[in-house]
Every structure is written in C-alpha cells, then in structure tokens.
C-alpha cells in the first residue's frame, strides 16, 4: 500500500530568520533538511507567524482596560494623544495590511519545500465583537497573502469556537473570501482544523452552550473597547467551560462564577436544554460546524479538513463514518492522543487505530505534534513516528475487491463515468476486455448454465442461445458447462456490434468450429434456426435495468420455447442515500454540460458514506438501510405480443418506487446510490448490494454502483426521515428510457392534542403548547395539514401521537428525460 506522509511539528523556538544572503541556506532550511535527513518524517509543520505579529495586532486592535481615576488633566491629554497615534497606525494597517519581516517564520521560497504552515491560533473570525472579527480577517488575509507569495502548499487555520456558534457564518464568509485571493491560478490550499468531537457534548449529550447572536460583550463586566481574543480561543475556553460544568455538577448549590467564564444562561444553557443530539445520542456539533463552512464556501476545491484528534473519539461508529465522505487532507495527532502500553511506549486505542485505517483511502498527511515533550516514559520522540508508520502501513479494511482487481480499478475511485448506451453505441474491444477480466462473473454464469443444463433430460440435443454475445465469453462458459453437465446442445450466438462480430468469427474459425453458430443482428429482430431451451445474456447494468436489459430480453423472448429458461431469471434494483463531498463537487463543475446534476453516473465509490440506518426510526415508518426499488423477471408470459413475437408497447417496463429511510446521524445528502442483484439460476446469483455482495458473488468487480446526484445538497438532522421517490419511465413511441428522482425530508414530533381539540372561535386550530420537543410549542401548531399529520377533527384524537413535519425537499430531477436517457 502507498506510504502515507507524516509531518513533524517543529517545537519552539522556531529557527531564526536568515542572516546570510542567498544561496546560503537559512537556519530554517537547515533545520528542515536535518530533520528530514535524520528521521523518517516526510514533512515539517510550523506556524507561519510568531509572537511579534500577535503583539503588534493586539497593540493596534485591542484597547486595554484603563482607569481614569487619579490621572491629572495633562496625563489624560497625553494618553489621548497616544491613543490617536495608535488609532492612526491601526487604520493605516487596516488599509494596507501586510506582515513585517520579523513577524514571519517563513520568509523565503526555498523554505517552503516540504512545509506545512499553520495560521495564528489567536485570531477570532467568529468573535462576538464585530471589530475583532473584521480585524482578525484582515490579519488572516495578510497571512494568506504571504502563503500565496511563497507558494506554500497549505495554510491550516484554527477551528471556530463552538461557544461562538452564532457567528459561524461570519467565520465561513471570511474563509470564502480568502479562497478568492490569488484568482484561479492560486496554489495554496486552506485546511480548517476541526476537532473530532466536542468534549462537552460527549459528557452532557448536548452541544456546547453558545452566545446569543446579539451578544456584543461578555458577561465579565470588563470595560474593553473590544474583547481580548486571548481568553476566548476554543481550546482554553472549552477546557474551562468543561471544568466549570463538572464543578457545578459536583456543587449544584454553587452559583458563583469566580473565573468570569462566558456561559450562556437561561434556555440556551446546555445544562437546561437538550438538542436533537441529546435525543438521538449523535455527537455532531463539530461536523455540523464544518458542514456550515464548506457549504457557505460552495464546496471550494482548495478547501479541506485537518481532523484534530486532540479530543476523544465519539463513541458512535456512524458519527465517525461521516468523515470518510469529507475532504480530510490532514490528521492532527498530538501526543495527548496516545496512551502508554504495558511497557510505557505510546500507542493509540484500538478504536483510533481502526478509524485511521478507515481514513487511509483518502491518503491523508499525519501531523505529529508535541513529540519532544517526553509525555511517555519509553521510546523517545521517534516512538510516535514509528508507531504511526506501523499503523498506516497495515492494509486498510477490505473494500470487497480482490487484489487482482487493483490493476483494473486503479484510477476509477470516485470517478464519474457516463453509463453505457448499449443499443445506440458499439463498445470497443478495450471495454470488452476489462469486463472479461472479472473471473467471478463468468464463474457464476458457468455454474448457473451448468445447473440449468443438468435439469434438462440427458440423451437429447438441446438448444442454448447466447444473446448479446460480445467477444464470446458467455459462449465459452456455455461450452464448458455442456462438458461439465454431460449434455449435448446446439449453441447459437447473436451479436449486433459489427466489430465484435469479427472477433466471434475468429473464435469460431480457430476455437469453436461447428460447436457454435453465430448470427449478426439485433436480438429484437434477428432470426435463429430454432427455439432454445436456455437463453443466456449479460445485459445487466449497475442498477440492473439501466442498460435496457428488460427491453432487449422482451424482444428476444421469442427465441425461447414455452418451457425455456432465461439466465438471468430475474434482477432487482436497490437504492440508498449517500454523502460524498467529492462526488457532489465533481458533478457541479462548471466545465460539465448543462444537466450534469440530473444525470446518473457509474462510480466506483470510495470517499462515500452511506447515511441511512437499519430499523424503523423514531416513527417506525422507515425501512432497511438499503431498499429494493423494483424487480424484472424473464421470461414474461403475460405480455400482449405483435405478429413478430415482440411486446406491443413498453409500458409494462415502467416502474416507480417510494422509500423512507432513517437517518440516525446528522448528515448532508449529496445523492443516491443504486445497486443491483441478479438471480441467474437455482442458487447462483450476482450482487453489488453492499450488504450481500460478499455472500452472493464475492470479489466481483465488473460493476460499480450508479450515482443519482442532487442539484443541491440537503442537510438532514439526527433522527430525521428521508423519503425518496424514483421512477423508470419511457416515451410513448418506445424510443428512450430514463429515470426521474426526488427526495423529501421530515422530522418526527410528538403532537399532544386535547381530546376536545377543534377550531377556536377565530377559526384557528387549538394545539396544546405543551406538545412538541423540549416543552416548546409544537412545530405543527401552524401546519396542521403537513404530510403525515392527522387532519381528523374527531374529539377522540390520541394524545402524544407521533407525527412528522417536512423540513426539506428537492425539485424533480431529469423531468421527461430532458437531460439523461438511454436510447432504444
């Protein structure tokens, strides 16, 4: 497996600035070179700026508390003159921006090689104080300008504060503006350092308290003109808040706040009100923070996540799985994430090991921070590097594909491929060659044909017809099956591709001889000498029917005897909701044609998270994690046929399905994944169903799932329900087939209606204010006729009945097949 990059976080003090002109290496260059040459590290991480930058920014942008008492008029006048001088300098800085040489740690292009830089930790893009927010943005733009000037590969920016959640859109807006710097040729990536969890949320089963949005000052009573950002960073604030909550739990009678902590009071307090996370047990606040940022930034391709493992991992596998669908480019591993083993060496917990292996498919860079602090008794600083190198060198969890498939699947991960047009286009030999490299598919076909032949009487000459023979792999399977079953048969092969037919002619001349007769033409109208006992085809697509297997086989059923067997005998389509930042971004690229977001794609899904859960959900309405849409069976004996034996219309192949999925963890819906299962014959089948493929046809790689994208992402809170509607449609002339799809989202709520409920004198419906969630008025109060709500005015309405309210909906995708269709 590939070697994962690991970065060493340089400890303080950072090497000094250059003292000799180029080409002499600077002290930082020498330090980087020595580190990489003497260790197994690949990169070095360090802050872009130093404390001199912080000191200047605070001097210009923060005004300290000053007491007027005891000052003479001359002293007051002198202080005012000093303030005016500083204010002038500050406004010049706000106008011109920029850093000074002694404020940066990286000053040369030569120092930017093999370097990961971090932005200043003390800046507050989400401060409750408006002035600090804007001054922090100006400062960060100066740092970004320096990073762009030096072509630094990445600038890691500290996460917003969970306690300042009301100002997260301001943070996200500032990041979006940073991404516009440098224009389309900008190289430097921006990575947001997001904590893996919120410790307060893990302890209290609810999100951290946040400040009201109209807060402009802290409740500390200080008289700052602006609030000092040093006391409000996420790490220190969170730890202090956590300690206070523990102290309050131990001393509930205590009401003092000696540390003057910023604690939201009243209904917004975590201790008094639980969110949906508390109800569902889904720790999602840090992921939701990232989701807000990347959404407001428009899924920018240069925006990524640095996942910070400082805090404990969430106990929920589903909560962790969210990150597999996000652009995690870096994983921040401080020494505090390690625990000592029996001999005192640093190791990671088994849960953390499993998580890192699961993330390995994204090939992240690991940043080891604080390794020189001697936190563990054995191993020394290099023990962390050796351990992470060991963990990341182990094979990731199996993806269902054999090692032999790597040659053919390499480069296809999360790559959007247009589905085949098998009737309109003739496949190339290279495409056939890839399909034929899958031994599992043809082993299954051969087994099914053998079993079918074995069920036919011995001592007779039977007929086997292969339709859509391509380059002949199923013909070869049939000949081997005849030998295994000890049966005799006339074998016919039908193929419409004139180029593939040349290969069939060659194989007949060299390999098969008189064992096989080949016929050129479309299976729907070509003639063969006699009806067959077994008809074999491989017309299945990623969704089962998306390559027109039903229509093709309908036209070929005239080949079958009344008791004839079709292989496959049936196949089913399945669907599940998924989240994938990469697929969503790729399908929305401006370079794609109009309607790209309403076109299904074949995708080898890698950075994808299946967001549905098993079980009925809160309401009991929901189905399985992956649900069946429809089924096709062959042969159909109940169709009305024309004189040639073909169906009069294609309306019998239209389908519709409706599904309700339980969403156990907050997620963003980016589309639907389509799968298929096929029953070949007897107990032999094919499957790409994520829960069944390993049992039905393990190691098969001929088909990738089908991706139905959405025009807009849809946020789904924990415990919500997703209703999916899918249609398979055809036009009246039978010339094309297409899919349409739409989704709606709902939340289940408790609706308490008094038994005397009815209409009030003013004509409005009376609803108890004690209904709903958390003692709040029911969300249904103003929407009595929302889907799922009982509109009965009967006086015997049940109290506490679960209903649901709609919270989101998409438009209809691909109406009338205007953007995507398959031609007949």
């Amino acid at each position: 497996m590939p070697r994962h990059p690991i970065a060493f976080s340089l400890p303080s003090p950072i090497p000094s600035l250059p003292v000799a002109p180029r080409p002499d290496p600077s002290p930082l260059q020498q330090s980087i070179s020595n580190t990489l040459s003497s260790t197994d590290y690949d990169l070095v991480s360090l802050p872009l700026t130093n404390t001199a930058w912080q000191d200047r920014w605070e001097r210009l942008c923060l005004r300290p508390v000053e007491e007027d008492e005891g000052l003479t008029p001359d002293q007051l006048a002198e202080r005012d003159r000093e303030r005016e001088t500083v204010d002038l300098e500050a406004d010049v800085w706000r106008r011109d921006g920029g850093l000074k040489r002694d404020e940066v740690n990286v000053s040369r292009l030569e120092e930017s090689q093999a370097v990961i830089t971090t932005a200043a930790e003390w800046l507050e893009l989400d401060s409750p104080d408006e002035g600090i927010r804007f001054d922090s943005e100006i400062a960060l733009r100066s740092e970004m300008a320096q990073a762009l000037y030096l072509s630094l590969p990445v600038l890691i920016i500290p996460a917003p504060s969970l306690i300042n959640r009301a100002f997260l859109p301001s943070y996200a807006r500032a990041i979006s503006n940073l991404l516009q710097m440098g224009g389309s040729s900008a190289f430097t990536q921006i990575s947001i350092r997001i904590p893996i969890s919120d410790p307060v949320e893990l302890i209290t089963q609810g999100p951290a308290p946040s400040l009201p949005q109209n807060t402009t000052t802290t409740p500390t009573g200080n008289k700052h003109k602006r609030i000092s950002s040093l006391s409000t960073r996420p790490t220190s604030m969170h730890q202090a808040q956590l300690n206070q909550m523990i102290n309050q739990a131990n001393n509930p009678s205590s009401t003092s706040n000696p540390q003057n902590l910023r604690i939201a009071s009243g209904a917004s307090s975590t201790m008094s009100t639980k969110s949906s996370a508390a109800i569902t047990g889904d720790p999602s606040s840090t992921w939701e923070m990232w989701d807000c940022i990347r959404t407001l930034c428009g899924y920018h391709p240069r925006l990524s996540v640095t996942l910070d493992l400082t805090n404990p991992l969430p106990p929920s596998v589903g909560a962790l799985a969210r990150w597999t669908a996000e652009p995690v480019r870096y994983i921040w591993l401080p020494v505090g994430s390690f625990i000592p083993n029996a001999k005192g060496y640093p190791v990671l917990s088994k849960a953390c090991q499993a998580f890192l292996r699961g993330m390995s498919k994204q090939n992240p860079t690991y940043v080891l921070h604080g390794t020189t602090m001697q936190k563990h008794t054995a191993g020394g600083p290099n023990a962390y590097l050796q351990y992470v190198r060991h963990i990341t060198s182990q094979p990731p969890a199996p993806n269902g594909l054999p090692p032999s498939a790597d040659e053919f699947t390499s480069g296809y991960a999360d790559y959007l491929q247009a589905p085949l047009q098998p009737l309109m286009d003739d496949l190339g030999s290279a495409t056939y060659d890839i399909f034929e490299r899958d031994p599992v598919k043809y082993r299954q076909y051969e087994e099914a044909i053998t079993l079918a032949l074995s069920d036919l009487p011995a001592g007779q000459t039977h007929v086997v017809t292969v339709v859509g023979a391509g380059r002949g792999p199923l013909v070869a399977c049939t000949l081997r099956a005849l030998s295994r079953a000890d049966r005799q048969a006339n074998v016919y092969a039908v193929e419409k591709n004139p180029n593939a037919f040349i290969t069939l002619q060659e194989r007949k001349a060299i390999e098969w001889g008189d064992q096989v007769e080949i016929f050129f033409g479309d299976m729907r109208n070509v003639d063969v000498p006699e009806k067959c006992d077994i008809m074999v085809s491989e017309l299945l697509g990623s969704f089962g029917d998306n390559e027109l297997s039903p229509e093709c086989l309908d036209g070929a059923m005239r080949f079958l005897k009344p008791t004839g067997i079709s292989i496959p005998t049936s196949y089913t389509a399945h669907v599940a909701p998924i989240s994938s930042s990469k697929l969503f971004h790729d399908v929305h690229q401006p370079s794609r044609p109009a309607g790209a977001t309403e076109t299904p794609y074949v995708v080898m899904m890698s950075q994808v998270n299946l967001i549905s859960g098993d079980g009925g959900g809160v309401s009991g309405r929901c189905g399985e994690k992956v649900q069946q849409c429809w089924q096709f069976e062959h042969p159909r004996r109940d169709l009305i046929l024309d004189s040639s034996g073909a169906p009069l219309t294609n309306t019998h192949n239209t389908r519709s399905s409706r599904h309700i999925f339980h969403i156990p963890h907050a997620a963003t819906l980016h589309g639907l994944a389509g799968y298929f299962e096929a029953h070949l014959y007897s107990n032999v089948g094919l499957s790409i169903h994520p829960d069944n493929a390993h049992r039905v046809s393990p190691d098969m790689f001929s088909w990738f799932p089908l991706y139905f994208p959405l025009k807009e992402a849809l946020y789904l809170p924990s415990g919500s329900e997703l209703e999916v509607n899918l249609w398979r449609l055809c036009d009246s002339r039978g010339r094309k087939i297409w899919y349409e799809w739409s989704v709606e989202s709902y939340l289940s709520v408790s609706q308490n209606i008094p038994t005397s409920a009815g209409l009030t004198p003013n004509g409005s419906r009376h609803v108890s204010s004690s209904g709903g969630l958390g003692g709040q008025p029911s969300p249904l109060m103003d929407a009595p006729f929302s889907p799922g709500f009982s509109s009965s005015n009967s006086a015997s309405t049940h109290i506490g009945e679960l209903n649901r309210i709609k919270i989101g909906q998409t438009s209809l995708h691909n109406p009338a097949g205007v953007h995507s269709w398959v031609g007949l």
Side-chain angles (χ1 to χ4, degrees):
M1 61 180 298
R3 173 187 170 102
H4 293 274
I6 301 178
F8 171 68
S9 182
L10 281 181
S12 298
I14 302 298
S16 60
L17 292 170
V19 293
R22 297 180 180 88
D24 290 351
S26 67
L28 179 58
Q29 282 179 265
Q30 293 175 338
S31 177
I32 294 173
S33 177
N34 293 339
T35 299
L36 300 185
S37 62
S38 61
T39 66
D40 196 30
Y41 283 106
D42 305 289
L43 303 160
V44 166
S45 168
L46 75 160
L48 178 60
T49 58
N50 54 42
T51 55
W53 169 229
Q54 179 180 1
D55 292 341
R56 180 162 72 105
W57 184 88
E58 289 182 356
R59 181 176 63 83
L60 296 178
C61 301
L62 300 180
R63 180 158 296 172
V65 177
E66 294 175 337
E67 299 294 339
D68 294 340
E69 295 180 7
L71 296 181
T72 65
D74 290 342
Q75 290 173 326
L76 289 173
E78 177 63 24
R79 190 184 67 181
D80 290 341
R81 286 192 293 272
E82 292 175 355
R83 285 180 177 177
E84 290 177 2
T85 302
V86 172
D87 287 345
L88 174 62
E89 184 183 353
D91 278 350
V92 170
W93 170 79
R94 292 186 182 101
R95 183 192 65 190
D96 300 336
L99 299 165
K100 296 182 178 180
R101 179 176 180 266
D102 62 345
E103 296 171 344
V104 297
N105 293 325
V106 185
S107 61
R108 288 184 177 181
L109 180 65
E110 294 82 0
E111 297 170 342
S112 65
Q113 306 301 314
V115 162
I116 296 172
T117 52
T118 59
E121 294 275 350
W122 41 268
L123 293 174
E124 285 192 289
L125 300 174
D126 58 340
S127 170
D129 185 286
E130 184 181 81
I132 288 184
R133 289 202 301 273
F134 287 126
D135 284 343
S136 295
E137 182 179 354
I138 295 171
L140 190 54
R141 290 179 68 85
S142 296
E143 296 196 23
M144 185 64 183
Q146 177 73 357
L148 291 169
Y149 170 71
L150 295 176
S151 296
L152 294 171
V154 66
L155 182 65
I156 297 178
I157 298 177
S161 172
L162 286 163
I163 202 170
N164 291 340
R165 175 59 181 85
F167 304 96
L168 181 61
S170 293
Y171 179 102
R173 183 206 58 77
I175 298 299
S176 179
N177 278 246
L178 287 181
L179 289 165
Q180 307 309 313
M181 294 178 63
S184 58
S185 61
F187 170 76
T188 303
Q189 304 270 325
I190 291 179
S191 193
I192 310 298
R193 185 173 151 190
I194 300 290
I196 189 69
S197 68
D198 171 17
V200 174
E201 186 177 38
L202 294 181
I203 290 177
T204 65
Q205 288 294 292
S210 60
L211 290 173
Q213 190 158 2
N214 60 355
T215 299
T216 57
T217 60
T218 57
T220 61
N222 289 342
K223 304 299 183 182
H224 291 75
K225 178 181 176 183
R226 296 177 184 173
I227 308 165
S228 171
S229 64
L230 295 179
S231 63
T232 58
R233 290 312 307 159
T235 302
S236 61
M237 186 60 237
H238 241 77
Q239 189 58 50
Q241 182 188 27
L242 186 63
N243 292 337
Q244 190 198 10
M245 295 184 71
I246 294 173
N247 292 335
Q248 286 183 345
N250 294 332
N251 302 285
S253 61
S254 174
T255 59
S256 63
N257 185 8
Q259 296 177 317
N260 286 325
L261 297 176
R262 292 196 307 176
I263 303 293
S265 60
S268 64
S269 171
T270 301
M271 302 300 290
S272 61
T273 299
K274 299 291 183 71
S275 71
S276 61
I279 298 170
T280 62
D282 175 30
S284 61
S285 59
T286 60
W287 172 84
E288 189 273 337
M289 188 166 60
W290 157 249
D291 182 61
C292 176
I293 296 169
R294 60 94 178 273
T295 300
L296 291 182
C297 291
Y299 289 76
H300 200 285
R302 285 174 35 236
L303 180 66
S304 66
V305 174
T306 294
L307 201 54
D308 188 346
L309 300 191
T310 300
N311 298 334
L313 266 63
S316 167
V317 175
L320 284 172
R322 277 188 288 243
W323 296 109
T324 62
E326 304 297 349
V328 178
R329 301 286 182 265
Y330 301 88
I331 293 181
W332 191 272
L333 272 175
V335 293
S337 300
F338 293 81
I339 57 176
N341 64 8
K343 297 183 178 179
Y345 286 88
V347 297
L348 294 171
S349 67
K350 291 187 180 298
C352 192
Q353 294 177 42
F355 176 67
L356 294 185
R357 291 193 187 102
M359 297 297 294
S360 64
K361 61 185 177 182
Q362 302 196 36
N363 194 31
T365 295
Y366 299 89
V367 181
L368 294 181
H369 181 71
T371 57
T372 59
M373 296 171 58
Q374 299 181 347
K375 188 175 180 65
H376 295 86
T377 59
N382 280 333
Y384 305 96
L385 169 64
Q386 295 166 359
Y387 181 79
V388 173
R389 189 70 74 192
H390 167 70
I391 290 296
T392 58
S393 65
Q394 297 181 10
N399 59 3
L401 300 179
S404 59
D406 291 345
E407 177 184 352
F408 311 105
T409 60
S410 177
Y412 283 97
D414 297 320
Y415 176 73
L416 301 175
Q417 305 175 69
L420 298 176
Q421 291 271 6
L423 296 183
M424 297 177 61
D425 303 328
D426 292 326
L427 301 183
S429 187
T431 303
Y432 284 118
D433 184 67
I434 292 175
F435 292 156
E436 293 169 13
R437 297 291 184 93
D438 186 346
V440 176
K441 175 173 66 173
Y442 295 108
R443 185 174 67 238
Q444 296 293 92
Y445 263 103
E446 182 180 331
E447 182 65 20
I449 299 169
T450 302
L451 292 174
L453 287 169
S454 300
D455 287 343
L456 299 177
Q460 299 180 17
T461 299
H462 305 288
V463 179
V464 179
T465 300
V466 178
V467 294
R471 302 197 310 177
L474 285 184
V475 177
C477 287
T478 300
L479 296 179
R480 292 193 298 269
L482 284 168
S483 177
R484 290 177 56 190
D486 192 22
R487 296 293 190 271
Q488 299 295 319
N490 296 326
V491 179
Y492 302 128
V494 178
E495 177 53 48
K496 76 168 186 65
N497 184 340
N499 306 302
F501 193 73
I502 294 175
T503 302
L504 291 178
Q505 290 175 314
E506 180 177 280
R507 296 193 70 174
K508 174 175 171 60
I510 298 175
E511 299 178 45
W512 303 330
D514 295 335
Q515 297 180 88
V516 180
E517 293 296 327
I518 59 176
F519 298 87
F520 175 74
D522 191 317
M523 69 181 74
R524 295 172 293 176
N525 49 49
V526 73
D527 292 324
V528 294
E530 55 184 324
K531 290 185 179 293
C532 60
D533 299 282
I534 301 174
M535 183 174 68
V536 185
S537 64
E538 54 170 332
L539 307 171
L540 299 170
S542 298
F543 205 44
D545 55 81
N546 61 296
E547 294 184 11
L548 306 186
S549 177
E551 286 72 21
C552 292
L553 293 182
D554 280 350
M557 285 303 144
R558 55 199 173 84
F559 297 157
L560 273 174
K561 295 178 181 179
T563 58
I565 300 167
S566 171
I567 298 178
T569 63
S570 66
Y571 38 91
T572 52
H574 303 258
V575 70
I578 60 169
S579 177
S580 174
S581 294
K582 187 177 190 311
L583 295 183
F584 185 78
H585 169 262
D586 288 351
V587 81
H588 284 80
Q589 285 294 297
S591 58
R592 293 196 175 273
T597 58
E598 300 181 69
T599 300
Y601 298 90
V602 174
V603 179
M604 177 185 169
M605 295 184 175
S606 176
Q607 295 182 33
V608 173
N609 182 31
L610 204 159
I611 63 177
S612 53
D614 287 318
V618 177
S619 68
R621 299 182 181 96
C622 304
E624 298 175 320
K625 187 175 184 179
V626 181
Q627 298 181 26
Q628 180 176 320
C629 301
W630 47 67
Q631 181 179 32
F632 289 92
E633 296 180 344
H634 302 287
R636 288 280 299 271
R637 307 293 186 186
D638 57 342
L639 301 179
I640 298 177
L641 308 177
D642 60 19
S643 58
S644 67
L648 279 175
T649 72
N650 194 42
T651 56
H652 61 282
N653 285 327
T654 57
R655 296 287 190 275
S656 68
S657 67
R658 174 177 173 269
H659 313 271
I660 301 180
F661 293 96
H662 169 52
I663 308 299
H665 305 283
T668 300
L669 178 70
H670 292 129
L672 308 171
Y675 311 93
F676 85 92
E677 290 191 298
H679 177 212
L680 297 181
Y681 186 78
S682 184
N683 63 342
V684 183
L686 302 171
S687 176
I688 63 169
H689 189 296
D691 295 333
N692 300 334
H694 67 285
R695 293 190 296 265
V696 178
S697 50
D699 297 338
M700 184 178 68
F701 58 86
S702 282
W703 290 275
F704 299 148
L706 198 65
Y707 171 51
F708 294 92
L710 295 182
K711 288 185 283 186
E712 292 186 356
L714 186 64
Y715 175 78
L716 302 172
S718 305
S720 58
E721 296 179 359
L722 182 71
E723 186 169 306
V724 174
N725 282 278
L726 268 170
W727 297 268
R728 186 186 196 266
L729 303 170
C730 68
D731 65 337
S732 58
R733 298 184 179 182
R735 293 180 178 176
K736 63 180 185 179
I737 303 293
W738 70 91
Y739 297 101
E740 298 179 17
W741 61 98
S742 69
V743 301
E744 298 173 274
S745 55
Y746 296 87
L747 269 179
S748 292
V749 294
S750 175
Q751 178 67 30
N752 293 342
I753 303 178
T755 54
S756 60
L759 296 179
T760 61
N762 63 4
S764 63
R765 180 176 297 275
H766 175 76
V767 181
S768 169
S769 62
S770 63
L773 297 173
Q776 300 299 314
S778 168
L780 290 175
M781 182 177 293
D782 296 320
F785 302 107
S786 290
F789 181 83
S790 174
S791 59
S792 171
N793 289 330
S794 170
S796 60
T797 303
H798 295 291
I799 296 178
E801 182 180 357
L802 271 178
N803 294 285
R804 61 179 188 166
I805 56 172
K806 180 189 273 190
I807 57 175
Q809 179 177 355
T810 68
S811 61
L812 180 64
H813 289 68
N814 196 35
V818 65
H819 296 297
S820 170
W821 50 273
V822 186
L824 284 163

